[in-house]
Protein backbone atom coordinates (compact mmCIF):
# COMPACT_ATOMS: atom_id res chain seq x y z
CA UNK A 1 0.00 0.00 0.00
CA UNK A 2 1.38 3.39 -0.96
CA UNK A 3 1.79 5.97 1.80
CA UNK A 4 1.91 9.70 1.36
CA UNK A 5 4.41 12.29 2.41
CA UNK A 6 2.40 15.45 2.44
CA UNK A 7 4.06 18.79 2.82
CA UNK A 8 1.28 21.31 2.63
CA UNK A 9 1.12 25.02 2.35
CA UNK A 10 -2.31 26.63 2.26
CA UNK A 11 -3.39 26.82 -1.37
CA UNK A 12 -3.69 25.29 -4.97
CA UNK A 13 -2.51 26.26 -9.00
CA UNK A 14 -1.54 25.42 -12.68
CA UNK A 15 1.45 23.86 -14.53
CA UNK A 16 3.90 21.21 -13.36
CA UNK A 17 7.22 19.49 -13.92
CA UNK A 18 7.79 15.87 -13.04
CA UNK A 19 11.35 14.72 -13.28
CA UNK A 20 11.60 16.68 -16.53
CA UNK A 21 8.11 15.75 -17.74
CA UNK A 22 5.57 18.56 -18.02
CA UNK A 23 2.06 17.63 -16.92
CA UNK A 24 -1.23 19.48 -17.24
CA UNK A 25 -3.78 20.49 -14.64
CA UNK A 26 -5.44 17.63 -12.76
CA UNK A 27 -8.23 19.44 -10.95
CA UNK A 28 -9.54 22.96 -10.65
CA UNK A 29 -12.01 24.43 -8.20
CA UNK A 30 -14.11 27.42 -9.18
CA UNK A 31 -16.21 30.04 -7.47
CA UNK A 32 -13.53 31.05 -4.93
CA UNK A 33 -13.25 34.79 -4.13
CA UNK A 34 -9.46 34.50 -4.34
CA UNK A 35 -9.48 32.65 -7.68
CA UNK A 36 -9.55 29.03 -8.69
CA UNK A 37 -7.39 26.37 -7.09
CA UNK A 38 -5.50 24.19 -9.55
CA UNK A 39 -3.40 21.06 -9.12
CA UNK A 40 -0.88 19.21 -11.21
CA UNK A 41 0.75 15.80 -10.88
CA UNK A 42 3.83 14.01 -12.10
CA UNK A 43 6.48 11.39 -11.51
CA UNK A 44 9.90 11.76 -9.88
CA UNK A 45 13.18 10.59 -11.39
CA UNK A 46 12.73 7.06 -9.96
CA UNK A 47 8.98 6.74 -10.53
CA UNK A 48 7.44 8.10 -7.33
CA UNK A 49 4.22 9.97 -8.08
CA UNK A 50 3.38 13.38 -6.64
CA UNK A 51 0.81 16.19 -6.74
CA UNK A 52 1.20 19.93 -6.25
CA UNK A 53 -1.55 22.49 -5.57
CA UNK A 54 -1.40 26.23 -5.04
CA UNK A 55 -3.85 29.12 -4.58
CA UNK A 56 -4.43 32.52 -3.05
CA UNK A 57 -6.36 33.01 0.14
CA UNK A 58 -7.04 35.77 2.66
CA UNK A 59 -7.73 33.81 5.83
CA UNK A 60 -4.14 33.27 6.94
CA UNK A 61 -2.57 34.43 10.21
CA UNK A 62 -3.83 38.00 9.59
CA UNK A 63 -7.44 37.91 8.35
CA UNK A 64 -7.89 40.02 5.20
CA UNK A 65 -4.21 39.84 4.20
CA UNK A 66 -3.38 38.10 0.92
CA UNK A 67 -1.38 34.85 1.15
CA UNK A 68 -0.33 32.26 -1.38
CA UNK A 69 0.53 28.69 -0.55
CA UNK A 70 1.29 25.22 -1.73
CA UNK A 71 0.20 21.69 -0.97
CA UNK A 72 2.70 19.08 -2.11
CA UNK A 73 2.15 15.35 -1.75
CA UNK A 74 4.62 12.57 -2.49
CA UNK A 75 3.14 9.07 -2.71
CA UNK A 76 5.74 6.92 -0.98
CA UNK A 77 5.99 3.14 -0.60
CA UNK A 78 5.80 3.26 3.20
CA UNK A 79 7.04 4.65 6.48
CA UNK A 80 10.59 5.65 7.32
CA UNK A 81 11.63 7.36 4.09
CA UNK A 82 13.71 10.53 4.54
CA UNK A 83 13.16 13.46 2.16
CA UNK A 84 14.39 17.04 1.94
CA UNK A 85 11.48 19.26 0.88
CA UNK A 86 11.65 22.92 -0.14
CA UNK A 87 8.96 25.40 -1.26
CA UNK A 88 9.63 28.67 -3.08
CA UNK A 89 7.54 31.60 -4.27
CA UNK A 90 8.98 33.50 -7.27
CA UNK A 91 12.35 31.90 -6.56
CA UNK A 92 12.49 32.81 -2.86
CA UNK A 93 12.41 29.85 -0.47
CA UNK A 94 9.75 30.25 2.22
CA UNK A 95 9.73 26.72 3.66
CA UNK A 96 12.32 24.01 3.97
CA UNK A 97 12.56 20.77 5.90
CA UNK A 98 15.86 18.90 5.52
CA UNK A 99 14.47 15.68 7.02
CA UNK A 100 10.79 14.98 6.32
CA UNK A 101 10.24 11.37 7.39
CA UNK A 102 7.26 9.41 6.09
CA UNK A 103 5.09 7.56 8.60
CA UNK A 104 2.21 5.14 8.06
CA UNK A 105 -0.05 8.19 8.03
CA UNK A 106 2.31 10.30 5.90
CA UNK A 107 3.65 13.77 6.67
CA UNK A 108 1.43 16.83 6.51
CA UNK A 109 2.85 20.32 6.79
CA UNK A 110 0.85 23.52 6.27
CA UNK A 111 2.66 26.73 5.26
CA UNK A 112 1.78 29.97 3.51
CA UNK A 113 3.61 33.01 2.23
CA UNK A 114 2.46 36.67 2.13
CA UNK A 115 1.58 37.84 -1.38
CA UNK A 116 1.19 41.24 -3.05
CA UNK A 117 -1.61 42.20 -5.43
CA UNK A 118 -0.86 42.65 -9.16
CA UNK A 119 2.06 40.16 -8.94
CA UNK A 120 2.00 36.74 -10.59
CA UNK A 121 3.33 33.87 -8.46
CA UNK A 122 5.59 31.04 -9.66
CA UNK A 123 5.29 28.43 -6.92
CA UNK A 124 7.75 25.52 -6.81
CA UNK A 125 8.30 22.40 -4.75
CA UNK A 126 11.57 20.45 -4.73
CA UNK A 127 12.18 17.15 -2.95
CA UNK A 128 15.11 14.73 -2.73
CA UNK A 129 14.91 11.30 -1.12
CA UNK A 130 17.98 10.71 1.04
CA UNK A 131 18.15 6.94 0.62
CA UNK A 132 17.96 6.82 -3.18
CA UNK A 133 18.71 10.31 -4.49
CA UNK A 134 15.34 10.46 -6.28
CA UNK A 135 14.45 14.02 -7.24
CA UNK A 136 11.00 15.53 -7.60
CA UNK A 137 10.43 19.04 -8.98
CA UNK A 138 7.00 20.58 -9.39
CA UNK A 139 5.90 24.07 -10.40
CA UNK A 140 2.67 25.98 -10.81
CA UNK A 141 1.99 29.52 -12.02
CA UNK A 142 -0.72 31.76 -10.59
CA UNK A 143 -1.86 34.96 -12.29
CA UNK A 144 -2.19 38.01 -10.01
CA UNK A 145 -4.79 37.60 -7.27
CA UNK A 146 -8.25 39.05 -7.88
CA UNK A 147 -8.74 42.52 -6.38
CA UNK A 148 -11.47 41.25 -4.03
CA UNK A 149 -9.07 38.86 -2.33
CA UNK A 150 -6.96 40.16 0.54
CA UNK A 151 -8.47 43.64 0.76
CA UNK A 152 -5.99 44.61 3.52
CA UNK A 153 -2.93 43.86 1.33
CA UNK A 154 -0.96 46.18 -0.95
Amino acid sequence: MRRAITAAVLGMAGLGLAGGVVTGPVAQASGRRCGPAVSTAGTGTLGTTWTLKSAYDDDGPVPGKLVVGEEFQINTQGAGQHWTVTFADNGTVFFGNPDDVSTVDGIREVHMNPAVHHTPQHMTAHAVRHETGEVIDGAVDLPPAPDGCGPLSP
Side-chain angles (χ1 to χ4, degrees):
M1 180 172 184
R2 297 182 75 95
R3 300 293 178 198
I5 287 182
T6 303
V9 180
L10 183 67
M12 327 240 177
L15 300 173
L17 295 176
V21 177
V22 176
T23 62
V26 173
Q28 183 170 357
S30 61
R32 297 181 71 243
R33 180 182 69 252
C34 292
V38 181
S39 66
T40 190
T43 305
T45 57
L46 296 178
T48 302
T49 60
W50 56 268
T51 58
L52 175 63
K53 302 174 188 176
S54 185
Y56 294 107
D57 217 330
D58 59 3
D59 65 355
V62 179
K65 289 281 193 170
L66 182 64
V67 294
V68 63
E70 294 177 83
E71 179 180 305
F72 182 49
Q73 181 171 321
I74 302 169
N75 301 311
T76 69
Q77 292 294 325
Q81 295 181 11
H82 295 257
W83 292 78
T84 295
V85 177
T86 306
F87 296 111
D89 177 2
N90 289 335
T92 301
V93 173
F94 66 93
F95 166 75
N97 185 340
D99 195 19
D100 271 345
V101 181
S102 63
T103 67
V104 275
D105 296 326
I107 295 173
R108 181 166 173 81
E109 300 182 16
V110 177
H111 308 276
M112 61 192 79
N113 196 42
V116 177
H117 279 287
H118 312 292
T119 304
Q121 308 294 319
H122 179 69
M123 308 301 290
T124 60
H126 175 75
V128 178
R129 183 172 175 195
H130 299 192
E131 297 88 354
T132 64
E134 180 171 19
V135 175
I136 293 174
D137 284 305
V140 294
D141 292 304
L142 289 167
D147 287 334
C149 180
L152 301 179
S153 296

mmCIF file with all atom_site columns, all heavy atoms in Angstrom, residues 61-84:
data_model
loop_
_atom_site.group_PDB
_atom_site.id
_atom_site.type_symbol
_atom_site.label_atom_id
_atom_site.label_alt_id
_atom_site.label_comp_id
_atom_site.label_asym_id
_atom_site.label_entity_id
_atom_site.label_seq_id
_atom_site.pdbx_PDB_ins_code
_atom_site.Cartn_x
_atom_site.Cartn_y
_atom_site.Cartn_z
_atom_site.occupancy
_atom_site.B_iso_or_equiv
_atom_site.pdbx_formal_charge
_atom_site.auth_seq_id
_atom_site.auth_comp_id
_atom_site.auth_asym_id
_atom_site.auth_atom_id
_atom_site.pdbx_PDB_model_num
ATOM 1   N N   . PRO A 1 61 ? -2.789 33.985 8.844  1.00 0.00 ? 61 PRO A N   1
ATOM 2   C CA  . PRO A 1 61 ? -2.572 34.433 10.211 1.00 0.00 ? 61 PRO A CA  1
ATOM 3   C C   . PRO A 1 61 ? -3.166 35.824 10.487 1.00 0.00 ? 61 PRO A C   1
ATOM 4   O O   . PRO A 1 61 ? -3.543 36.123 11.605 1.00 0.00 ? 61 PRO A O   1
ATOM 5   C CB  . PRO A 1 61 ? -1.057 34.469 10.371 1.00 0.00 ? 61 PRO A CB  1
ATOM 6   C CG  . PRO A 1 61 ? -0.479 33.917 9.134  1.00 0.00 ? 61 PRO A CG  1
ATOM 7   C CD  . PRO A 1 61 ? -1.566 33.705 8.143  1.00 0.00 ? 61 PRO A CD  1
ATOM 8   N N   . VAL A 1 62 ? -3.222 36.676 9.448  1.00 0.00 ? 62 VAL A N   1
ATOM 9   C CA  . VAL A 1 62 ? -3.825 38.000 9.588  1.00 0.00 ? 62 VAL A CA  1
ATOM 10  C C   . VAL A 1 62 ? -5.033 38.038 8.654  1.00 0.00 ? 62 VAL A C   1
ATOM 11  O O   . VAL A 1 62 ? -4.882 38.158 7.441  1.00 0.00 ? 62 VAL A O   1
ATOM 12  C CB  . VAL A 1 62 ? -2.828 39.126 9.225  1.00 0.00 ? 62 VAL A CB  1
ATOM 13  C CG1 . VAL A 1 62 ? -3.500 40.489 9.363  1.00 0.00 ? 62 VAL A CG1 1
ATOM 14  C CG2 . VAL A 1 62 ? -1.569 39.033 10.083 1.00 0.00 ? 62 VAL A CG2 1
ATOM 15  N N   . PRO A 1 63 ? -6.247 37.914 9.194  1.00 0.00 ? 63 PRO A N   1
ATOM 16  C CA  . PRO A 1 63 ? -7.438 37.914 8.351  1.00 0.00 ? 63 PRO A CA  1
ATOM 17  C C   . PRO A 1 63 ? -7.483 39.149 7.444  1.00 0.00 ? 63 PRO A C   1
ATOM 18  O O   . PRO A 1 63 ? -7.193 40.259 7.883  1.00 0.00 ? 63 PRO A O   1
ATOM 19  C CB  . PRO A 1 63 ? -8.596 37.916 9.348  1.00 0.00 ? 63 PRO A CB  1
ATOM 20  C CG  . PRO A 1 63 ? -8.011 37.274 10.579 1.00 0.00 ? 63 PRO A CG  1
ATOM 21  C CD  . PRO A 1 63 ? -6.578 37.746 10.603 1.00 0.00 ? 63 PRO A CD  1
ATOM 22  N N   . GLY A 1 64 ? -7.815 38.930 6.164  1.00 0.00 ? 64 GLY A N   1
ATOM 23  C CA  . GLY A 1 64 ? -7.891 40.017 5.197  1.00 0.00 ? 64 GLY A CA  1
ATOM 24  C C   . GLY A 1 64 ? -6.606 40.291 4.460  1.00 0.00 ? 64 GLY A C   1
ATOM 25  O O   . GLY A 1 64 ? -6.584 41.052 3.503  1.00 0.00 ? 64 GLY A O   1
ATOM 26  N N   . LYS A 1 65 ? -5.494 39.680 4.884  1.00 0.00 ? 65 LYS A N   1
ATOM 27  C CA  . LYS A 1 65 ? -4.211 39.837 4.197  1.00 0.00 ? 65 LYS A CA  1
ATOM 28  C C   . LYS A 1 65 ? -4.052 38.711 3.173  1.00 0.00 ? 65 LYS A C   1
ATOM 29  O O   . LYS A 1 65 ? -4.346 37.552 3.452  1.00 0.00 ? 65 LYS A O   1
ATOM 30  C CB  . LYS A 1 65 ? -3.038 39.784 5.184  1.00 0.00 ? 65 LYS A CB  1
ATOM 31  C CG  . LYS A 1 65 ? -2.930 40.996 6.061  1.00 0.00 ? 65 LYS A CG  1
ATOM 32  C CD  . LYS A 1 65 ? -2.294 42.132 5.306  1.00 0.00 ? 65 LYS A CD  1
ATOM 33  C CE  . LYS A 1 65 ? -1.900 43.241 6.259  1.00 0.00 ? 65 LYS A CE  1
ATOM 34  N NZ  . LYS A 1 65 ? -1.080 44.238 5.618  1.00 0.00 ? 65 LYS A NZ  1
ATOM 35  N N   . LEU A 1 66 ? -3.558 39.053 2.006  1.00 0.00 ? 66 LEU A N   1
ATOM 36  C CA  . LEU A 1 66 ? -3.379 38.102 0.916  1.00 0.00 ? 66 LEU A CA  1
ATOM 37  C C   . LEU A 1 66 ? -2.203 37.167 1.192  1.00 0.00 ? 66 LEU A C   1
ATOM 38  O O   . LEU A 1 66 ? -1.112 37.612 1.552  1.00 0.00 ? 66 LEU A O   1
ATOM 39  C CB  . LEU A 1 66 ? -3.134 38.868 -0.387 1.00 0.00 ? 66 LEU A CB  1
ATOM 40  C CG  . LEU A 1 66 ? -2.976 38.051 -1.654 1.00 0.00 ? 66 LEU A CG  1
ATOM 41  C CD1 . LEU A 1 66 ? -4.276 37.299 -1.981 1.00 0.00 ? 66 LEU A CD1 1
ATOM 42  C CD2 . LEU A 1 66 ? -2.595 38.969 -2.813 1.00 0.00 ? 66 LEU A CD2 1
ATOM 43  N N   . VAL A 1 67 ? -2.435 35.859 1.055  1.00 0.00 ? 67 VAL A N   1
ATOM 44  C CA  . VAL A 1 67 ? -1.375 34.855 1.151  1.00 0.00 ? 67 VAL A CA  1
ATOM 45  C C   . VAL A 1 67 ? -1.472 33.937 -0.060 1.00 0.00 ? 67 VAL A C   1
ATOM 46  O O   . VAL A 1 67 ? -2.500 33.835 -0.722 1.00 0.00 ? 67 VAL A O   1
ATOM 47  C CB  . VAL A 1 67 ? -1.464 34.015 2.452  1.00 0.00 ? 67 VAL A CB  1
ATOM 48  C CG1 . VAL A 1 67 ? -1.197 34.873 3.676  1.00 0.00 ? 67 VAL A CG1 1
ATOM 49  C CG2 . VAL A 1 67 ? -2.792 33.302 2.563  1.00 0.00 ? 67 VAL A CG2 1
ATOM 50  N N   . VAL A 1 68 ? -0.368 33.274 -0.343 1.00 0.00 ? 68 VAL A N   1
ATOM 51  C CA  . VAL A 1 68 ? -0.327 32.257 -1.380 1.00 0.00 ? 68 VAL A CA  1
ATOM 52  C C   . VAL A 1 68 ? 0.354  31.047 -0.762 1.00 0.00 ? 68 VAL A C   1
ATOM 53  O O   . VAL A 1 68 ? 1.219  31.180 0.096  1.00 0.00 ? 68 VAL A O   1
ATOM 54  C CB  . VAL A 1 68 ? 0.428  32.747 -2.645 1.00 0.00 ? 68 VAL A CB  1
ATOM 55  C CG1 . VAL A 1 68 ? 1.882  33.046 -2.351 1.00 0.00 ? 68 VAL A CG1 1
ATOM 56  C CG2 . VAL A 1 68 ? 0.283  31.760 -3.799 1.00 0.00 ? 68 VAL A CG2 1
ATOM 57  N N   . GLY A 1 69 ? -0.058 29.871 -1.156 1.00 0.00 ? 69 GLY A N   1
ATOM 58  C CA  . GLY A 1 69 ? 0.527  28.695 -0.548 1.00 0.00 ? 69 GLY A CA  1
ATOM 59  C C   . GLY A 1 69 ? 0.564  27.508 -1.470 1.00 0.00 ? 69 GLY A C   1
ATOM 60  O O   . GLY A 1 69 ? 0.082  27.570 -2.595 1.00 0.00 ? 69 GLY A O   1
ATOM 61  N N   . GLU A 1 70 ? 1.150  26.449 -0.973 1.00 0.00 ? 70 GLU A N   1
ATOM 62  C CA  . GLU A 1 70 ? 1.293  25.218 -1.733 1.00 0.00 ? 70 GLU A CA  1
ATOM 63  C C   . GLU A 1 70 ? 0.892  24.020 -0.894 1.00 0.00 ? 70 GLU A C   1
ATOM 64  O O   . GLU A 1 70 ? 1.058  24.030 0.324  1.00 0.00 ? 70 GLU A O   1
ATOM 65  C CB  . GLU A 1 70 ? 2.750  25.005 -2.157 1.00 0.00 ? 70 GLU A CB  1
ATOM 66  C CG  . GLU A 1 70 ? 3.271  26.010 -3.116 1.00 0.00 ? 70 GLU A CG  1
ATOM 67  C CD  . GLU A 1 70 ? 4.722  25.773 -3.436 1.00 0.00 ? 70 GLU A CD  1
ATOM 68  O OE1 . GLU A 1 70 ? 5.010  24.940 -4.301 1.00 0.00 ? 70 GLU A OE1 1
ATOM 69  O OE2 . GLU A 1 70 ? 5.563  26.436 -2.805 1.00 0.00 ? 70 GLU A OE2 1
ATOM 70  N N   . GLU A 1 71 ? 0.398  23.000 -1.560 1.00 0.00 ? 71 GLU A N   1
ATOM 71  C CA  . GLU A 1 71 ? 0.203  21.687 -0.968 1.00 0.00 ? 71 GLU A CA  1
ATOM 72  C C   . GLU A 1 71 ? 0.918  20.711 -1.883 1.00 0.00 ? 71 GLU A C   1
ATOM 73  O O   . GLU A 1 71 ? 0.624  20.649 -3.067 1.00 0.00 ? 71 GLU A O   1
ATOM 74  C CB  . GLU A 1 71 ? -1.275 21.344 -0.876 1.00 0.00 ? 71 GLU A CB  1
ATOM 75  C CG  . GLU A 1 71 ? -1.493 19.960 -0.284 1.00 0.00 ? 71 GLU A CG  1
ATOM 76  C CD  . GLU A 1 71 ? -2.959 19.615 -0.186 1.00 0.00 ? 71 GLU A CD  1
ATOM 77  O OE1 . GLU A 1 71 ? -3.724 20.375 0.429  1.00 0.00 ? 71 GLU A OE1 1
ATOM 78  O OE2 . GLU A 1 71 ? -3.332 18.588 -0.764 1.00 0.00 ? 71 GLU A OE2 1
ATOM 79  N N   . PHE A 1 72 ? 1.856  19.985 -1.329 1.00 0.00 ? 72 PHE A N   1
ATOM 80  C CA  . PHE A 1 72 ? 2.702  19.080 -2.106 1.00 0.00 ? 72 PHE A CA  1
ATOM 81  C C   . PHE A 1 72 ? 2.611  17.708 -1.474 1.00 0.00 ? 72 PHE A C   1
ATOM 82  O O   . PHE A 1 72 ? 2.828  17.567 -0.274 1.00 0.00 ? 72 PHE A O   1
ATOM 83  C CB  . PHE A 1 72 ? 4.132  19.610 -2.055 1.00 0.00 ? 72 PHE A CB  1
ATOM 84  C CG  . PHE A 1 72 ? 5.148  18.832 -2.827 1.00 0.00 ? 72 PHE A CG  1
ATOM 85  C CD1 . PHE A 1 72 ? 4.936  18.461 -4.141 1.00 0.00 ? 72 PHE A CD1 1
ATOM 86  C CD2 . PHE A 1 72 ? 6.357  18.509 -2.233 1.00 0.00 ? 72 PHE A CD2 1
ATOM 87  C CE1 . PHE A 1 72 ? 5.906  17.779 -4.851 1.00 0.00 ? 72 PHE A CE1 1
ATOM 88  C CE2 . PHE A 1 72 ? 7.335  17.833 -2.932 1.00 0.00 ? 72 PHE A CE2 1
ATOM 89  C CZ  . PHE A 1 72 ? 7.115  17.470 -4.252 1.00 0.00 ? 72 PHE A CZ  1
ATOM 90  N N   . GLN A 1 73 ? 2.267  16.708 -2.268 1.00 0.00 ? 73 GLN A N   1
ATOM 91  C CA  . GLN A 1 73 ? 2.151  15.348 -1.749 1.00 0.00 ? 73 GLN A CA  1
ATOM 92  C C   . GLN A 1 73 ? 3.024  14.414 -2.565 1.00 0.00 ? 73 GLN A C   1
ATOM 93  O O   . GLN A 1 73 ? 2.975  14.428 -3.790 1.00 0.00 ? 73 GLN A O   1
ATOM 94  C CB  . GLN A 1 73 ? 0.703  14.879 -1.805 1.00 0.00 ? 73 GLN A CB  1
ATOM 95  C CG  . GLN A 1 73 ? 0.528  13.476 -1.265 1.00 0.00 ? 73 GLN A CG  1
ATOM 96  C CD  . GLN A 1 73 ? -0.926 13.104 -1.128 1.00 0.00 ? 73 GLN A CD  1
ATOM 97  O OE1 . GLN A 1 73 ? -1.748 13.918 -0.741 1.00 0.00 ? 73 GLN A OE1 1
ATOM 98  N NE2 . GLN A 1 73 ? -1.238 11.862 -1.446 1.00 0.00 ? 73 GLN A NE2 1
ATOM 99  N N   . ILE A 1 74 ? 3.803  13.607 -1.859 1.00 0.00 ? 74 ILE A N   1
ATOM 100 C CA  . ILE A 1 74 ? 4.623  12.575 -2.489 1.00 0.00 ? 74 ILE A CA  1
ATOM 101 C C   . ILE A 1 74 ? 4.044  11.234 -2.050 1.00 0.00 ? 74 ILE A C   1
ATOM 102 O O   . ILE A 1 74 ? 3.901  10.966 -0.866 1.00 0.00 ? 74 ILE A O   1
ATOM 103 C CB  . ILE A 1 74 ? 6.097  12.669 -2.055 1.00 0.00 ? 74 ILE A CB  1
ATOM 104 C CG1 . ILE A 1 74 ? 6.668  14.052 -2.392 1.00 0.00 ? 74 ILE A CG1 1
ATOM 105 C CG2 . ILE A 1 74 ? 6.910  11.567 -2.733 1.00 0.00 ? 74 ILE A CG2 1
ATOM 106 C CD1 . ILE A 1 74 ? 8.021  14.306 -1.761 1.00 0.00 ? 74 ILE A CD1 1
ATOM 107 N N   . ASN A 1 75 ? 3.714  10.391 -3.009 1.00 0.00 ? 75 ASN A N   1
ATOM 108 C CA  . ASN A 1 75 ? 3.136  9.072  -2.712 1.00 0.00 ? 75 ASN A CA  1
ATOM 109 C C   . ASN A 1 75 ? 4.267  8.070  -2.530 1.00 0.00 ? 75 ASN A C   1
ATOM 110 O O   . ASN A 1 75 ? 4.797  7.542  -3.498 1.00 0.00 ? 75 ASN A O   1
ATOM 111 C CB  . ASN A 1 75 ? 2.197  8.653  -3.847 1.00 0.00 ? 75 ASN A CB  1
ATOM 112 C CG  . ASN A 1 75 ? 1.088  9.663  -4.022 1.00 0.00 ? 75 ASN A CG  1
ATOM 113 O OD1 . ASN A 1 75 ? 0.441  10.048 -3.064 1.00 0.00 ? 75 ASN A OD1 1
ATOM 114 N ND2 . ASN A 1 75 ? 0.893  10.113 -5.241 1.00 0.00 ? 75 ASN A ND2 1
ATOM 115 N N   . THR A 1 76 ? 4.606  7.795  -1.285 1.00 0.00 ? 76 THR A N   1
ATOM 116 C CA  . THR A 1 76 ? 5.741  6.916  -0.979 1.00 0.00 ? 76 THR A CA  1
ATOM 117 C C   . THR A 1 76 ? 5.298  5.461  -0.888 1.00 0.00 ? 76 THR A C   1
ATOM 118 O O   . THR A 1 76 ? 4.119  5.150  -0.899 1.00 0.00 ? 76 THR A O   1
ATOM 119 C CB  . THR A 1 76 ? 6.393  7.336  0.353  1.00 0.00 ? 76 THR A CB  1
ATOM 120 O OG1 . THR A 1 76 ? 5.491  7.032  1.412  1.00 0.00 ? 76 THR A OG1 1
ATOM 121 C CG2 . THR A 1 76 ? 6.744  8.814  0.362  1.00 0.00 ? 76 THR A CG2 1
ATOM 122 N N   . GLN A 1 77 ? 6.264  4.583  -0.743 1.00 0.00 ? 77 GLN A N   1
ATOM 123 C CA  . GLN A 1 77 ? 5.991  3.142  -0.601 1.00 0.00 ? 77 GLN A CA  1
ATOM 124 C C   . GLN A 1 77 ? 5.842  2.713  0.852  1.00 0.00 ? 77 GLN A C   1
ATOM 125 O O   . GLN A 1 77 ? 5.660  1.541  1.117  1.00 0.00 ? 77 GLN A O   1
ATOM 126 C CB  . GLN A 1 77 ? 7.110  2.332  -1.262 1.00 0.00 ? 77 GLN A CB  1
ATOM 127 C CG  . GLN A 1 77 ? 7.157  2.465  -2.759 1.00 0.00 ? 77 GLN A CG  1
ATOM 128 C CD  . GLN A 1 77 ? 5.931  1.856  -3.421 1.00 0.00 ? 77 GLN A CD  1
ATOM 129 O OE1 . GLN A 1 77 ? 5.389  0.862  -2.969 1.00 0.00 ? 77 GLN A OE1 1
ATOM 130 N NE2 . GLN A 1 77 ? 5.476  2.478  -4.494 1.00 0.00 ? 77 GLN A NE2 1
ATOM 131 N N   . GLY A 1 78 ? 5.963  3.639  1.794  1.00 0.00 ? 78 GLY A N   1
ATOM 132 C CA  . GLY A 1 78 ? 5.796  3.258  3.198  1.00 0.00 ? 78 GLY A CA  1
ATOM 133 C C   . GLY A 1 78 ? 6.482  4.209  4.147  1.00 0.00 ? 78 GLY A C   1
ATOM 134 O O   . GLY A 1 78 ? 6.997  5.254  3.756  1.00 0.00 ? 78 GLY A O   1
ATOM 135 N N   . ALA A 1 79 ? 6.480  3.827  5.408  1.00 0.00 ? 79 ALA A N   1
ATOM 136 C CA  . ALA A 1 79 ? 7.039  4.648  6.478  1.00 0.00 ? 79 ALA A CA  1
ATOM 137 C C   . ALA A 1 79 ? 8.561  4.592  6.495  1.00 0.00 ? 79 ALA A C   1
ATOM 138 O O   . ALA A 1 79 ? 9.165  3.646  6.005  1.00 0.00 ? 79 ALA A O   1
ATOM 139 C CB  . ALA A 1 79 ? 6.497  4.172  7.825  1.00 0.00 ? 79 ALA A CB  1
ATOM 140 N N   . GLY A 1 80 ? 9.152  5.638  7.084  1.00 0.00 ? 80 GLY A N   1
ATOM 141 C CA  . GLY A 1 80 ? 10.590 5.646  7.323  1.00 0.00 ? 80 GLY A CA  1
ATOM 142 C C   . GLY A 1 80 ? 11.441 6.221  6.209  1.00 0.00 ? 80 GLY A C   1
ATOM 143 O O   . GLY A 1 80 ? 12.665 6.218  6.322  1.00 0.00 ? 80 GLY A O   1
ATOM 144 N N   . GLN A 1 81 ? 10.847 6.729  5.142  1.00 0.00 ? 81 GLN A N   1
ATOM 145 C CA  . GLN A 1 81 ? 11.633 7.361  4.087  1.00 0.00 ? 81 GLN A CA  1
ATOM 146 C C   . GLN A 1 81 ? 12.000 8.780  4.524  1.00 0.00 ? 81 GLN A C   1
ATOM 147 O O   . GLN A 1 81 ? 11.204 9.478  5.127  1.00 0.00 ? 81 GLN A O   1
ATOM 148 C CB  . GLN A 1 81 ? 10.851 7.411  2.778  1.00 0.00 ? 81 GLN A CB  1
ATOM 149 C CG  . GLN A 1 81 ? 10.562 6.059  2.193  1.00 0.00 ? 81 GLN A CG  1
ATOM 150 C CD  . GLN A 1 81 ? 9.799  6.160  0.884  1.00 0.00 ? 81 GLN A CD  1
ATOM 151 O OE1 . GLN A 1 81 ? 9.653  7.231  0.302  1.00 0.00 ? 81 GLN A OE1 1
ATOM 152 N NE2 . GLN A 1 81 ? 9.305  5.025  0.420  1.00 0.00 ? 81 GLN A NE2 1
ATOM 153 N N   . HIS A 1 82 ? 13.224 9.199  4.182  1.00 0.00 ? 82 HIS A N   1
ATOM 154 C CA  . HIS A 1 82 ? 13.713 10.533 4.540  1.00 0.00 ? 82 HIS A CA  1
ATOM 155 C C   . HIS A 1 82 ? 13.816 11.378 3.275  1.00 0.00 ? 82 HIS A C   1
ATOM 156 O O   . HIS A 1 82 ? 14.460 10.974 2.304  1.00 0.00 ? 82 HIS A O   1
ATOM 157 C CB  . HIS A 1 82 ? 15.083 10.445 5.221  1.00 0.00 ? 82 HIS A CB  1
ATOM 158 C CG  . HIS A 1 82 ? 15.031 9.735  6.535  1.00 0.00 ? 82 HIS A CG  1
ATOM 159 N ND1 . HIS A 1 82 ? 15.057 10.396 7.734  1.00 0.00 ? 82 HIS A ND1 1
ATOM 160 C CD2 . HIS A 1 82 ? 14.933 8.408  6.827  1.00 0.00 ? 82 HIS A CD2 1
ATOM 161 C CE1 . HIS A 1 82 ? 14.983 9.519  8.718  1.00 0.00 ? 82 HIS A CE1 1
ATOM 162 N NE2 . HIS A 1 82 ? 14.913 8.302  8.191  1.00 0.00 ? 82 HIS A NE2 1
ATOM 163 N N   . TRP A 1 83 ? 13.173 12.548 3.302  1.00 0.00 ? 83 TRP A N   1
ATOM 164 C CA  . TRP A 1 83 ? 13.158 13.465 2.164  1.00 0.00 ? 83 TRP A CA  1
ATOM 165 C C   . TRP A 1 83 ? 13.540 14.864 2.630  1.00 0.00 ? 83 TRP A C   1
ATOM 166 O O   . TRP A 1 83 ? 13.196 15.278 3.728  1.00 0.00 ? 83 TRP A O   1
ATOM 167 C CB  . TRP A 1 83 ? 11.761 13.557 1.553  1.00 0.00 ? 83 TRP A CB  1
ATOM 168 C CG  . TRP A 1 83 ? 11.283 12.311 0.870  1.00 0.00 ? 83 TRP A CG  1
ATOM 169 C CD1 . TRP A 1 83 ? 10.788 11.177 1.460  1.00 0.00 ? 83 TRP A CD1 1
ATOM 170 C CD2 . TRP A 1 83 ? 11.228 12.081 -0.529 1.00 0.00 ? 83 TRP A CD2 1
ATOM 171 N NE1 . TRP A 1 83 ? 10.424 10.269 0.503  1.00 0.00 ? 83 TRP A NE1 1
ATOM 172 C CE2 . TRP A 1 83 ? 10.681 10.792 -0.733 1.00 0.00 ? 83 TRP A CE2 1
ATOM 173 C CE3 . TRP A 1 83 ? 11.562 12.837 -1.645 1.00 0.00 ? 83 TRP A CE3 1
ATOM 174 C CZ2 . TRP A 1 83 ? 10.480 10.245 -1.997 1.00 0.00 ? 83 TRP A CZ2 1
ATOM 175 C CZ3 . TRP A 1 83 ? 11.369 12.295 -2.908 1.00 0.00 ? 83 TRP A CZ3 1
ATOM 176 C CH2 . TRP A 1 83 ? 10.841 11.016 -3.075 1.00 0.00 ? 83 TRP A CH2 1
ATOM 177 N N   . THR A 1 84 ? 14.220 15.604 1.769  1.00 0.00 ? 84 THR A N   1
ATOM 178 C CA  . THR A 1 84 ? 14.391 17.041 1.944  1.00 0.00 ? 84 THR A CA  1
ATOM 179 C C   . THR A 1 84 ? 13.350 17.693 1.057  1.00 0.00 ? 84 THR A C   1
ATOM 180 O O   . THR A 1 84 ? 13.257 17.364 -0.131 1.00 0.00 ? 84 THR A O   1
ATOM 181 C CB  . THR A 1 84 ? 15.794 17.497 1.528  1.00 0.00 ? 84 THR A CB  1
ATOM 182 O OG1 . THR A 1 84 ? 16.745 16.910 2.411  1.00 0.00 ? 84 THR A OG1 1
ATOM 183 C CG2 . THR A 1 84 ? 15.927 19.012 1.567  1.00 0.00 ? 84 THR A CG2 1
#
